[in-house]
Amino acid sequence: MNRFVTANPSKCIGCRTCEVACALAHSKGAGVEGLAPDSFKPRIRMVKTADVSTAVMCHHCEDAPCVNSCPNNAIVYRQHSVQVEQERCLGCKNCVLACPFGVMDVVTVPAVRQFAGMTLSLGVKAQAHKCDLCVDRESGPACVSVCPTSALTLMDRDAMDETLRRRRERAAQEAAEVAA
Amino acid sequence: MEKHMAVCPYCGTGCKLNLLVEGGKVVGAEPLNGVTNEGELCLKGYFGYDFINDTKILTPRLRNPMLRRSRDAAFEAVSWDEAIQYAAKKLGEIKAKYGPDSIMTTGSSRGTGNETNYVMQKFTRAVLGTNNVDNCARVCHGPSVAGLQVTLGNGAMSNSIPEIENTKCVLVFGYNVADSHPVIAKRIIRAKERGAKIIVCDPRKIETARLADLWLPLNNGSNMALVNAFANILINEGLYDKEYVANHTEGFDEYRKIVEKYTPEYAEAITGLPADDIREAMRIYAAAPSATILWGMGVTQWGQGVDVVKGLSGLALLTGNLGRPNVGVGPVRGQNNVQGSCDMGVLPTEFPGYQKVTDPEIRDKFAKAWGVPSLPGEIGYRLTDVPHLAETGKLKAMYVMGEDPAQTEPDLTQVRKGFEAMEFVIVQDIFMTKTAMFADLILPATSWGEHEGVFSAADRSFQRFTKAVDAKGDVKHDWEIISLLATAMGYPMHYNNTKEIWDELRGLCPIFYGATYEKMEGLGAVPWPCRDLDSPGSKYLYEGNVFQRPGGKGLLFATEWRPPQDKLNDEFPLILCTVREVGHYSCRSMTGNCAALQTLADEPGYVTINPKDAKALGIRDQELVWVSSRRGKVISRASVTDRTNKGAVYMTYQWWIGACNELTIHAVDPIAKTPEYKYAAVRVEAIADQVWAENYVQQEYAKLKGGLSKAVTGAAKKAPAYA
């Protein structure tokens, strides 16, 4: 099973700590002082409507529409998750349209090449931009570790099994109460 | 990487954290397992540290003492020696000419710590000879202190923060915990998970309202009517604890008479709430085996704040929800050390440790300890009196430390006139602020992260914080600056460190005496009262239901509801209520210089408005709009949301361009003198040319930032030979 981060709207307070942690985890060590409104592109987004506050992010689907829609095989299943091989991304946005959760985006970043000690501009490089579960981060997804109300959890096979077990128990209990 | 233990400088939760330091620079924050935060931090706690590093995103850190010899001159950098001599001479002259009561000082409820606040009030009382010292509790939980001192005998939270998650009912009244104290929000969520009922009284659909069992969206300005109706139900439905009332309270007969007419049906007409919902709320509250009332600025920032605080404490008294664990009354303090500045007697009415200035024996005790023949016994001025007192010539000099009244006080036009009318203004701060622009003398202090001390969390817990990095520039600790000034004015004052100050003050304050630095080592927290060296302090107050009043009983108090003071009409048909948002803090001089927090939210800030009101005004979401009141006009950005009730708009108070305090009214509670920030009559207008409006915001913002920056860099360039 692919792992994914799940958000509990009954615990979310809409504070966006997860968004900042996400942007920082992907800042290549630039730190908070590297953050600025124009370049702020967290892969998790807090959504606030009249009745709901919660974070939305990639579900790492088992049969992912983004993977299926990519003409260049840039999106792959790896480490029990859906990952983007950025060097293969064309920026065609098929995946953006295919994602039913609105959590895939295509962003452009300046492309550069080092040559003889100089930095040469190669225009821009497109990137399919979504949650990568912080796969290279030792302590797991940054958003999960900072959420002040523990509204975010990393769902893997074990956590999923535990959730299902609890739900089944509750269902059984409720069935017994109905019968009584 | 080095790690230095600190207590978060935002909000009164008192979260313990480590500042991560590399090469003399703070590069991160990580949570510690403190008593109140248990390993959690919020948005500001995690990402609100880089202001220390002088990012200059909003306004620069102060690096040198700066003096302006006349109001039309630019600031010039001067030596500490010249700055202190100048201040001492000016204050001495003003005191000699107009008397000690012509001078006022402020403590700071922010990063400076308790020891500095103690030293500031000592300076004010012993050196200047006046009780004119106050802090921003005046514009915040002043009514909670004033109200609870009368009804229960102690102005602070009765129970501790961790107990919130073990209560069986939380009555949240005018308190947006998600934005004000995110880490306390977790306690409420956990209480709910453990089966507690949550009741929320707030006109807006705040985050806590989403998870509430019952949400009472009362009309803005109807608090007293609702609280009286609550009492009416508890009494008339026989839900109150008769034995508790008989044994531990007084004033019941009078109380009952006043709340008699506030039937749920009578209150329905004032509050706009269905009578049955009001009944349901009290049935839930009274049925719970333990219940906690939490409130914030939605209760206190009114012309009738003190009365409502007293009324809320009455509900706890009626139901016996005091004097034991997991119950009580909780005025949850907003600024990180506003509890502390009150504890330290930075109040015109009290010495440190809540000892009254009107009590001659207490005055003698302090006079003897401080080595002065006598101390003033007249209650001093309140912060909110300042503009009027300055304009009428009663106040001639002000020494503002770590506050930005030109941003945070109501009706800023009046505030500016007040500062202009004064003969001498000292601002002691870490940043160039709007208030500092009115100063004659600016004294640069070390920041949180650059000094150590003790903060008081909202639940009375004393906790130590340590220094992480050396300050840059020619700056000094706040308490050192005040000591130098005292000495220059002929009162030798010298401390080697904060512990010396702490030991002096706990020796003078019986309720703090047992709270030693040793007990607060590491993650240690000592909630006062802590009278003995072997006591761990008091997690909850009023043990054995003994209240700190003559006779030991709690007072039941009610009074008639009074409508808000500003008046709506065709010209100003909407209510403006000022609020907070999670990512920014206070006047924003700190969070405005934090890259992450500025990235999430920047000028001119939002005015939130209900879709029906927005549609009627032709305003679309995210458009810039004008908001005006009888007192001013500012630009803001519309956030059209169903969470905002119809007929009211909300602005957060930290924006420097979209400054809602240009609009608020200087109408105050008669007892606490706290302003009615929650109710100003305003008009919101669409702006046809949005391109022009966006440019206007950018230009005004650049002009403001440029002015603040130039004041500092200009002075540094002109630095005299000493530098």
Side-chain angles (χ1 to χ4, degrees), chain B residues 599-667:
Chain B
T599 295
L600 294 185
D602 203 350
E603 298 283 0
Y606 284 106
V607 54
T608 71
I609 184 167
N610 183 275
K612 290 196 185 78
D613 288 327
K615 196 174 173 204
L617 294 164
I619 290 165
R620 281 178 302 187
D621 190 37
Q622 302 301 316
E623 280 183 352
L624 291 167
V625 295
W626 288 116
V627 189
S628 34
S629 76
R630 293 181 176 92
R631 294 153 293 276
K633 180 176 179 181
V634 295
I635 199 162
S636 186
R637 196 178 297 282
S639 169
V640 180
T641 165
D642 278 310
R643 291 194 184 197
T644 290
N645 52 312
K646 198 171 167 306
V649 296
Y650 296 79
M651 295 172 80
T652 52
Y653 77 115
Q654 76 277 349
W655 302 112
W656 293 19
I657 300 296
C660 60
N661 280 325
E662 299 289 351
L663 312 173
T664 47
I665 183 171
H666 192 286

Side-chain angles (χ1 to χ4, degrees), chain B residues 485-557:
Chain B
L485 187 51
T487 307
M489 291 183 76
Y491 181 93
M493 191 190 279
H494 178 80
Y495 298 100
N496 289 305
N497 51 48
T498 51
K499 185 171 182 295
E500 276 184 18
I501 304 170
W502 186 258
D503 287 339
E504 175 180 318
L505 78 89
R506 71 184 178 81
L508 286 163
C509 302
I511 60 171
F512 306 152
Y513 179 70
T516 60
Y517 257 44
E518 288 72 24
K519 279 189 205 169
M520 292 182 270
E521 196 73 53
L523 299 177
V526 183
W528 62 261
C530 180
R531 293 171 184 275
D532 306 306
L533 292 176
D534 53 5
S535 158
S538 316
K539 282 212 181 308
Y540 61 90
L541 301 172
Y542 318 123
E543 193 164 4
N545 297 304
V546 178
F547 296 95
Q548 288 143 27
R549 302 178 64 246
K553 291 188 173 186
L555 176 69
L556 291 165
F557 172 93

Side-chain angles (χ1 to χ4, degrees), chain B residues 18 23 181 267 271 301 327-328 449 508 527-528 583 600 602 668 689 703 714 720:
Chain B
N18 266 334
H181 304 95
T271 61
Q301 288 178 337
V327 296
L508 286 163
W528 62 261
L600 294 185
D602 203 350
V668 298
D689 190 345
K703 204 158 73 188

Side-chain angles (χ1 to χ4, degrees), chain B residues 666-681:
Chain B
H666 192 286
V668 298
D669 181 280
I671 301 160
K673 303 285 179 81
T674 299
E676 194 152 85
Y677 287 111
K678 300 297 190 202
Y679 199 101

Side-chain angles (χ1 to χ4, degrees), chain A residues 9 11-13 15-17 20-21 24 32-33 35-37 40 48-53 145-150, chain B residues 25 40-43 46-47 49-50 53 55 178 182 185-186 189 193 205 207 210-211 582 595-596 599-600 642-643:
Chain A
K11 289 185 174 186
C12 178
I13 56 167
C15 68
R16 300 175 72 191
T17 311
V20 178
L24 274 179
V32 282
E33 287 173 38
L35 295 176
F40 185 67
K48 211 179 251 207
T49 70
D51 303 311
V52 176
S53 299
S145 59
V146 297
C147 178
T149 56
S150 305
Chain B
K25 189 178 159 188
E40 304 291 351
L41 289 177
C42 77
L43 180 65
Y46 273 114
F47 309 119
Y49 55 82
D50 46 325
N53 302 334
T55 57
K186 182 172 189 173
I189 291 167
E193 286 173 344
K205 190 162 194 179
E207 292 295 342
R210 287 198 309 117
L211 67 96
V582 64
T599 295
L600 294 185
D642 278 310
R643 291 194 184 197

